[in-house]
Every structure is written in C-alpha cells, then in structure tokens.
Amino acid sequence: KVISSSGGNAGLAVTTVARNIPQMDVSVIVPETTKPLVVEKLRSLGAEVTIHGKNWNEADALARQWVDDAKKSGGGAVYVSPYDNP
C-alpha cells in the first residue's frame, strides 16, 4: 500500500503510478481546502481519499501516522512524500 498526502497534483501522480502496479492500493489524505473536482478525480483513478485537516500539514501528519501504524501492526505501507524524490 502507498500512502501520500497532497493538495492535488502529487496525489494524482502517485495514484496514476500506483494503478499501473498490480494489486497496489493507494490512499491519499487531502486537506479540507482541496477542491471537490480534485477529490473526485483521485477517486475516479482508484485512490482511497480521506479529507483531513485544515491544511496540508495536518493531512500529512495523518498520512505519516497511518504508515507508522501499518508498520507497527505488521502491514506493509510506504509513505510517498509530495515534495521529496529520494
């Protein structure tokens, strides 16, 4: 599973790539300020979208928490930053 936070474009990029990998799930956490059109586009591409927080920092904190929780429970999840390209 891939988890990212985004206001739009990064989430669309992550979702587009993930949907080309067999059985790869993607979750994108967006802030409340994200336009409904972007949320619908993410969902139409197959992302599980969660709207959380008043700004990107709050959405990103939840994304990172989900990855930590998945690792602690033995599940597999990878955080994909909308800003860094390791």
Side-chain angles (χ1 to χ4, degrees):
K1 181 170 195 153
V2 174
I3 300 174
S4 187
S5 60
S6 175
N9 289 339
L12 292 168
V14 169
T15 301
T16 299
V17 171
R19 76 181 198 164
N20 290 307
I21 301 171
Q23 300 182 351
M24 177 64 69
D25 294 326
V26 60
S27 293
V28 180
I29 296 92
V30 299
E32 296 167 6
T33 56
T34 304
K35 295 179 181 177
L37 179 64
V38 172
V39 173
E40 185 54 39
K41 182 67 174 177
L42 286 165
R43 288 182 175 145
S44 74
L45 290 172
E48 173 191 325
V49 180
T50 300
I51 300 169
H52 175 81
K54 296 187 186 305
N55 55 48
W56 173 80
N57 288 334
E58 292 178 7
D60 189 62
L62 181 62
R64 291 172 186 264
Q65 183 62 52
W66 282 9
V67 171
D68 289 343
D69 291 348
K71 289 178 180 178
K72 288 176 185 172
S73 67
V78 175
Y79 172 77
V80 177
S81 170
Y83 295 109
D84 295 331
N85 184 11

